[in-house]
Amino acid sequence: MRPTCFSTLGCDELEWPAIAALARKYDIREVELRALGGQLDLPASLSQKYGQPEAFARQVRADLLRIPVLDTSLSLAFHDEVSRNAFLEFIPWAEALGGTWLRVFDGGTFSSLIADATLNSAEATLGWWRELRRENKWASDIIVETHDSLCSSQSVERLQSRLSYPVAILWDTWHTWFKAGEGPKETWNRIRPWVRHIHYKDGWRDPILDFPYRYGIPGQGEFPLEELKTAISPNSYRGLFCLEWERRWHPYLPPLEQALQEIFAHTI
């Protein structure tokens, strides 16, 4: 299954011109921005290189690409004034791009059902954001990644039931499978109304370094990729299918371009 997007977490050392060239080489028109030129602080990196948000947005348009998601480090469960302010620094860049999803983490720790304290914190943070967004008439909005406390579909359902209107979900398919033990079909059937973006990767349950798993080329590991492909057929999902090649955190992985070469060589 070919990606329609990739995250720059897999090529964090590259500057935008090289990222754009890599995307065009594989006819990928959407890039999720997580890192740039070795930096994870995107607002600082972009400001240093482009000065103003409009200048970067013009470059992205000139490259005939789109950035659907800007990855922030805000956590719904654990946050303070410093982390909220750091999150807000993304807004001018997101708005200049025409309004993007702003990835935030769920935060907390994994359990089969999200803890009450984590749920209360998430609800409060979303309330803070939604009031601020409404006041400023921003086009950009939060999308929450299933990374920790929301790895079970039941936890996602519980959060949505507490909100006046749903929050968009970035479904990290590896985490719901590895942490919650849910098959992709089961998870998709329960959270599909809220999924707007999907991360996929593959690997094995073998521990490596400080991680309880080891990543590899999609289609070569233990993750049930065919089940995921069937579950999110074009008739039921029209969002992006984003390769999250986590070479930044897992340096044993080969370069992103090598992964793309192998994926495209073995899929139709």
Side-chain angles (χ1 to χ4, degrees):
M1 191 168 188
R2 296 183 176 185
T4 55
C5 175
F6 65 74
S7 164
T8 59
L9 194 61
C11 55
D12 68 295
E13 74 283 1
L14 299 184
E15 300 289 358
W16 177 256
I19 293 168
L22 180 61
R24 289 195 301 269
K25 181 176 180 178
Y26 291 92
D27 197 26
I28 293 173
R29 299 299 172 180
E30 318 265 355
V31 175
E32 180 178 332
L33 208 57
R34 174 66 178 100
L36 188 67
Q39 296 188 55
L40 293 175
D41 186 344
L42 285 175
S45 179
L46 289 169
S47 181
Q48 179 184 12
K49 295 173 176 66
Y50 295 94
Q52 298 298 320
E54 291 74 14
F56 179 60
R58 284 195 299 271
Q59 184 60 61
V60 174
R61 290 194 294 271
D63 290 323
L64 302 178
L65 296 176
R66 193 174 79 90
I67 297 176
V69 181
L70 287 176
D71 289 342
T72 83
S73 296
L74 183 69
S75 165
L76 296 186
F78 301 124
H79 55 84
D80 54 20
E81 186 176 359
V82 173
S83 60
R84 286 186 177 188
N85 288 337
F87 167 79
L88 292 175
E89 290 179 4
F90 283 79
I91 303 300
W93 303 93
E95 291 297 287
L97 290 166
T100 68
W101 291 117
L102 296 159
R103 189 285 306 274
V104 303
F105 291 116
D106 45 9
T109 56
F110 171 72
S111 63
S112 58
L113 188 63
I114 186 171
D116 288 340
T118 304
L119 186 63
N120 292 339
S121 180
E123 186 178 11
T125 306
L126 288 170
W128 161 80
W129 161 249
R130 286 174 167 179
E131 182 178 354
L132 203 57
R133 179 176 184 250
R134 183 170 54 252
E135 289 175 355
N136 290 278
K137 297 181 172 58
W138 289 325
S140 304
D141 203 356
I142 275 178
I143 188 168
V144 184
E145 182 173 348
T146 58
H147 194 275
D148 296 300
S149 61
L150 292 180
C151 279
S152 77
S153 53
Q154 188 177 3
S155 292
V156 175
E157 291 172 329
R158 190 173 184 218
L159 173 63
Q160 301 288 15
S161 71
R162 290 277 293 268
L163 302 175
S164 56
Y165 59 93
V167 65
I169 295 296
L170 190 165
W171 179 23
D172 187 306
T173 57
W174 173 272
H175 288 311
T176 55
W177 172 76
F178 183 84
K179 291 184 178 181
E182 296 183 358
K185 182 178 180 181
E186 175 189 357
T187 308
W188 175 247
N189 286 340
R190 297 183 69 167
I191 72 171
R192 61 185 291 181
W194 311 301
V195 174
R196 298 293 177 268
H197 193 67
I198 289 177
H199 281 173
Y200 84 106
K201 44 210 168 194
D202 201 352
W204 298 265
R205 294 179 176 87
D206 305 332
I208 186 170
L209 301 175
D210 294 329
F211 293 90
Y213 46 79
R214 172 172 56 94
Y215 286 137
I217 302 294
Q220 298 182 9
E222 298 175 1
F223 180 81
L225 192 58
E226 286 303 313
E227 181 183 335
L228 173 64
K229 180 180 178 180
T230 301
I232 62 163
S233 64
N235 291 329
S236 59
Y237 175 69
R238 301 189 181 280
L240 296 175
F241 194 56
C242 180
L243 174 64
E244 191 181 36
W245 190 247
E246 295 193 9
R247 192 165 185 255
R248 169 80 184 202
W249 311 132
H250 301 265
Y252 59 84
L253 289 172
L256 174 61
E257 182 164 13
Q258 182 176 332
L260 290 171
Q261 286 174 347
E262 293 204 36
I263 293 169
F264 278 72
H266 294 94
T267 57
I268 298 175

